[in-house]
Amino acid sequence: MSRTEIPGSDVLGPQALAAARRCGVEVDAVTGEAAHRSPVNGASLGGVRWSSPAEVDTAVTRAHEAFLAWRRTPAPARGAVVKRFGELLTQHKADLGELISLEVGKITSEALGEVQEMIDICDFAVGLSRQLYGRTTVSERPGHRLMETWHPLGVVGVISAFNFPAAVWSWNTAIALVCGDAVIWKPSEQAPLTAWSCAALLDRALVEHGAPPAVSQVVVGGPEIGEELVDHSGVALVSATGSTRMGRTVGPRVANRFGRSLLELDGNNAAIVAPSADLDLTLRGVVFAAAGTAGQRCTTMRRVIAHRSIAGQLTERLAAAYARLPIGNPMAEGTLVGPLVHGAAYEAMTKAISRAESEGGRVVAGGERVLAEAAEQAFYVQPTILTMPDQTEVVRSETFAPLLYVMTYDEFDEAIALNNAVPQGLSSSVFTSDQAEAELFVSAEGSDCGIVNVNIGTSGAEIGGAFGGEKETGGGRESGSDAWRAYMRRATNTINYSGELPLAQGVDFSV
C-alpha cells in the first residue's frame, strides 16, 4: 500500500486564501476568530468569521424582498444568470477544486468532478428555464378549461454537508433560481472558503445581469445558524443534507410551521453480486464505491451481498485491490484515498470495527490508521473489509468511513431481502449477467431504494436523474428529472369562457 507525502503545516493556509481571492472573495471581510483546519494535515487554514443568529433574520428579510422582484423576471432571463454562473465555474474549476481538496480532503479528480457536477447542473437548469411546464386538462363542464400552473415558491434555505461542500448547494441553487426563488445557504463549517468562493462567482453573474444580489446569500456558522433557517417562517423550503438524526429534528420543526422540507439523509448502500457477474467489472465498481472519498459519501457502498459460490473469490480480489490503494495527500498525483474529515470520524470507524468483530465479523483487509507520524492531527486510514456472518446491528447502521461488510446469500430473493432490510434506502446495485435478475431488481418487487443500478456501483449519480432515497434517507429528490417541482408551488386553474355558470358534479344551486 503506497503512501503520498503530507504537506507541511505552513503551506495550505496561504494556498487556500489565494484560491479564494482568485474567485473574488474579499478575504479580509471573512477573516475572524472561528478555528478552521484542513483534514489534509490538521493545520490551520486561518480563522474565519461566523454569522450570528440575528444575521439569519436579516438575510431572510433581504431574500424575500429580492424574491418579490426576481419572481417577475422571465424564467429564460433567470436561466441566463445561471448560464453565466456555469461559465464562471468553468473558468475557476481548478480554484474551486483546490479549495475542496484543502477543506474536506477530496482527491483532486473527485474535487474537480464535484465542480464539473456544478457546471452540469447549470447546463440542465438553463434548459429547464424554458420548460417549466404545466398541463391542460379537459373539464366536465362545457365552455370551461382546466389547467395547472407552477409559480415561484419563495425563499429556499439550503443546509449542506462537508462531503459535497459545493455540488449539493448548486443542485438546489441552480434549479431554485430558474424557478424564481431566492436562496440562503448555510454551508458546512468545514468548508467556508469553498462556500464564499462559490457565492462570489454567483454574485458576479447576478451583478452582470442586473439581478437582485440578495437572491443568493451565505450564512456561515454552527448548528444554531441552521436552526434559525429551519425555524424561520420566511423560509418556504428547507433543503437539508446530513444524518438521519439531523433529519428527525429538521423535518418536524419545519412541518410544525407548515413549511416544506427536502431531506437527503443517511445511506447504507448494498451491491448484490450474482454468480453470473463479471468479476472484473464488479471489482472496479465496488472499490470505487466503497473506498472513494474515503467512504464519506452518502452513496458509499457499505455492504456487499455476494452469492456463496463466488463470495470467497470476490473477497480475496477485493482485499488485494485494497492493498494497492495509494493513501495520503489528496492533492498528490496518484492518490486514491485521502483523509477522514476529522478525529471524530476516525473514532466512529474504530468503534464500528470493534463492534463488528464482537458481532462475529472478521477483518480481511485494512483497518489501521496510517501516516500519523507525518500529520498527528490528520486522520488517514486504510479502507477496511470485514466478512460478516449475517446482517447484524452494526451492518444496519451507517458509519461514515471506508468500511465494507461482505455477506453471502443462496437465493436471489434472499439477497433482495437483505438489501432492503435496513432502515436507509438511498442507493443500491446488482452485478449480474442474468437479465431476469436485473429486471427483478429494478421492479416493484426488487430494491426499495431511490437509486437502483445494474452493473455499476452505488456511487456516481448523474445530474439528469432525480437524486434521493426512501425510508430514513428522507424521501427528498434533488437535481434532475422533475425535482424542480419541489421549488415551486402548484395552482389548479379553471377558466370559464361559456357565459354560463354550470356547477361541477351536476350540483344545482339556482337562486
Side-chain angles (χ1 to χ4, degrees):
M1 185 175 295
S2 60
R3 301 170 190 177
T4 50
E5 184 177 350
I6 307 302
S9 60
D10 58 346
V11 175
L12 302 188
Q15 187 176 347
L17 295 177
R21 285 192 183 96
R22 291 193 295 270
C23 292
V25 177
E26 296 181 11
V27 170
D28 291 343
V30 299
T31 299
E33 297 181 355
H36 181 38
R37 296 185 177 275
S38 172
V40 175
N41 60 6
S44 173
L45 293 177
V48 296
R49 178 190 175 277
W50 280 14
S51 303
S52 68
E55 290 178 81
V56 176
D57 181 66
T58 301
V60 174
T61 299
R62 293 181 64 235
H64 180 71
E65 292 172 354
F67 161 72
L68 296 178
W70 186 239
R71 68 180 179 179
R72 295 195 298 269
T73 303
R78 301 193 295 251
V81 173
V82 175
K83 180 180 180 180
R84 178 57 178 151
F85 179 45
E87 293 170 349
L88 292 170
L89 289 173
T90 301
Q91 293 174 21
H92 291 274
K93 182 175 179 178
D95 295 325
L96 291 174
E98 187 175 24
L99 283 166
I100 290 169
S101 290
L102 290 168
E103 290 197 301
V104 303
K106 281 192 176 182
I107 64 172
T108 297
S109 66
E110 289 193 65
L112 292 174
E114 177 164 354
V115 184
Q116 186 60 50
E117 209 170 309
M118 301 172 73
I119 297 166
D120 293 344
I121 197 65
C122 286
D123 286 346
F124 180 90
V126 172
L128 180 65
S129 68
R130 294 181 181 271
Q131 301 179 72
L132 299 173
Y133 298 134
R135 67 176 68 186
T136 299
T137 304
V138 296
S139 173
E140 67 182 66
R141 290 168 284 183
H144 287 62
R145 175 166 59 89
L146 292 177
M147 68 177 185
E148 188 177 82
T149 52
W150 293 85
H151 304 288
L153 181 63
V155 178
V156 175
V158 178
I159 301 172
S160 61
F162 79 88
N163 59 329
F164 280 87
V168 171
W169 166 75
S170 73
W171 293 356
N172 285 273
T173 299
I175 303 299
L177 287 179
V178 300
C179 289
D181 301 327
V183 179
I184 300 174
W185 181 18
K186 191 276 180 195
S188 166
E189 301 96 306
Q190 187 68 32
L193 291 174
T194 298
W196 282 317
S197 298
C198 292
L201 296 175
L202 179 51
D203 287 348
R204 179 176 165 187
L206 292 167
V207 169
E208 289 179 4
H209 284 265
V215 297
S216 169
Q217 298 176 74
V218 177
V219 285
V220 173
E224 69 280 1
I225 299 299
E227 290 173 2
E228 289 291 325
L229 279 177
V230 165
D231 293 335
H232 202 295
S233 61
V235 179
L237 169 68
V238 175
S239 176
T241 301
S243 67
T244 295
R245 179 175 57 82
M246 179 206 72
R248 292 189 195 281
T249 299
V250 171
R253 285 171 69 161
V254 175
N256 188 57
R257 61 175 179 81
F258 296 100
R260 297 190 196 177
S261 61
L262 194 166
L263 301 176
E264 298 287 358
L265 310 175
D266 285 356
N268 191 352
N269 315 294
I272 296 172
V273 184
S276 63
D278 178 334
L279 290 189
D280 291 333
L281 179 72
T282 302
L283 182 71
R284 295 195 301 272
V286 171
V287 172
F288 168 66
T293 326
Q296 297 171 119
R297 291 186 180 215
C298 53
T299 53
T300 290
M301 189 181 297
R302 310 202 180 280
R303 298 176 291 147
V304 165
I305 303 166
H307 191 270
R308 194 176 303 276
S309 63
I310 51 93
Q313 179 187 0
L314 176 62
T315 302
E316 288 178 6
R317 294 187 64 178
L318 286 171
Y322 270 43
R324 298 190 299 269
L325 289 173
I327 302 172
N329 179 4
M331 294 172 291
E333 185 176 356
T335 300
L336 293 180
V337 181
L340 295 177
V341 69
H342 44 47
Y346 172 65
E347 291 177 10
M349 179 177 176
T350 57
K351 288 180 180 178
I353 292 173
S354 295
R355 184 176 177 189
E357 289 177 319
S358 72
E359 294 175 357
R362 181 173 66 90
V363 174
V364 295
E368 300 295 329
R369 183 181 176 187
V370 297
L371 297 168
E373 68 285 354
E376 184 179 349
Q377 297 303 314
F379 296 87
Y380 293 85
V381 296
Q382 297 171 334
T384 305
I385 301 171
L386 300 101
T387 55
M388 301 297 294
D390 52 37
Q391 195 151 268
T392 65
E393 282 303 309
V394 72
V395 179
R396 287 168 46 82
S397 304
E398 181 191 53
T399 302
F400 224 56
L403 290 180
L404 181 65
Y405 303 109
V406 178
M407 297 164 288
T408 60
Y409 77 93
D410 294 303
E411 301 295 333
F412 195 67
D413 286 346
E414 175 192 358
I416 292 176
L418 284 169
N419 176 81
N420 296 348
V422 294
Q424 311 84 359
L426 179 53
S427 187
S428 58
S429 63
V430 63
F431 290 90
T432 182
S433 297
D434 186 318
Q435 184 178 356
E437 289 181 336
E439 294 291 344
L440 179 59
F441 189 67
V442 302
S443 75
E445 301 171 67
S447 171
D448 64 359
C449 296
I451 299 170
V452 185
N453 297 331
V454 177
N455 290 328
I456 62 171
T458 55
S459 288
E462 298 181 28
I463 59 91
F467 180 90
E470 301 299 321
K471 302 187 293 187
E472 289 189 4
T473 301
R477 292 296 186 274
E478 295 172 324
S479 194
S481 185
D482 64 350
W484 62 269
R485 295 185 176 193
Y487 305 88
M488 304 197 81
R489 61 179 179 85
R490 183 197 326 234
T492 300
N493 315 123
T494 303
I495 313 298
N496 178 7
Y497 58 91
S498 70
E500 304 293 335
L501 196 63
L503 300 178
Q505 294 86 45
V507 173
D508 184 358
F509 202 77
S510 301
V511 292

